[in-house]
Amino acid sequence: MTPEAVVFDIGNVLVEWHPERHYDGLIGPERRKALFAQVDLHAMNLRVDLGAPFAAEVEAMATAHPDWRPEILAWREGWVEMCSPAIPGSVALLRNLRARGIPVFALSNFGVDTYQIAQGVYDFLNEFDAEFISGHLGVMKPDPAIYERLERDTGIAPGALLFADDRPDNIAAAAARGWQTHLFEGPEGWAARLVAAGLLPEAEAVT
């Protein structure tokens, strides 16, 4: 079946997301390893992705770990640097799909506040036909409920959706619902998948 719509994850598909890399540059690899071993910053980020207020969540974690307070607050102060740079090839593919009139949706684990910040930095995040953001919905991938929400709200059958994500567990959850899927490992492979699906000609599969 030729897909009727394309669904993009955001982190590490349209925009790079590498907190450890950012902290390596900020405090050095050894101190970063100690920080991440002692403070569960990823759990903090998951709470934000489920709708917790970004600034308050970081402040609460800093208060709970006073020995690491400046480093924890750097998660908030340097968030834009962590969520960067954009992946130009993927952005070009998104825009070429939309130029052809193909609906393009976002399905991403992202906080309410952080997504607003990202939209102010990256204009292409304002170009989706519909957005399904975990912080707004209170449910996140790979919970089947977030995929069901997209199906229900768009009215598009699962088999007519083509979804790109960099995480195998998120891809597996979509495939279990009958979605067409692509495990994103770079824009070149994603471009080839879109060509194979009949959505873009090779001349427009630019990366």
Side-chain angles (χ1 to χ4, degrees):
M1 178 188 296
T2 300
E4 295 177 24
V6 177
V7 185
F8 279 77
D9 177 31
I10 295 173
N12 291 325
V13 173
L14 285 162
V15 180
E16 292 189 24
W17 170 249
H18 297 293
E20 287 86 353
R21 182 178 68 191
H22 173 69
Y23 272 90
D24 282 351
L26 193 66
I27 60 176
E30 293 307 313
R31 188 159 174 79
R32 185 269 299 171
K33 290 176 186 176
L35 168 63
F36 278 66
Q38 295 177 37
V39 182
D40 197 344
L41 292 171
H42 287 294
M44 176 189 73
N45 194 65
L46 287 176
R47 292 191 291 273
V48 172
D49 284 353
L50 278 170
F54 176 49
E57 196 66 33
V58 175
E59 179 64 36
M61 186 67 90
T63 299
H65 299 274
D67 291 346
W68 290 104
R69 182 175 180 82
E71 290 83 359
I72 295 169
L73 292 178
W75 188 280
R76 182 178 66 201
E77 295 156 2
W79 186 86
V80 170
E81 287 72 25
M82 283 193 292
C83 188
S84 68
I87 301 172
S90 294
V91 176
L93 293 170
L94 182 156
R95 287 176 164 162
N96 285 346
L97 288 165
R98 294 202 73 242
R100 285 190 161 265
I102 297 164
V104 176
F105 309 136
L107 177 61
S108 186
N109 292 344
F110 229 113
V112 174
D113 304 321
T114 50
Y115 191 60
Q116 185 176 21
I117 294 168
Q119 285 182 302
V121 175
Y122 301 111
D123 55 355
F124 54 85
L125 295 182
N126 299 286
E127 298 175 15
F128 295 108
D129 293 283
E131 301 164 338
F132 298 85
I133 304 300
S134 63
H136 289 283
L137 301 176
V139 63
M140 64 196 306
K141 299 175 297 184
D143 189 322
I146 197 168
Y147 301 87
E148 191 276 334
R149 176 65 180 269
L150 186 149
E151 296 163 10
R152 184 175 72 244
D153 286 6
T154 65
I156 297 177
L161 296 165
L162 174 57
F163 174 48
D165 196 293
D166 67 306
R167 290 181 55 110
D169 53 343
N170 294 339
I171 285 292
R177 298 191 63 84
W179 292 24
Q180 300 182 52
T181 60
H182 175 78
L183 181 62
F184 185 90
E185 296 176 325
E188 296 81 9
W190 181 217
R193 181 72 174 83
L194 292 169
V195 171
L199 295 173
L200 288 179
E202 289 200 19
E204 293 179 19
V206 292
T207 59

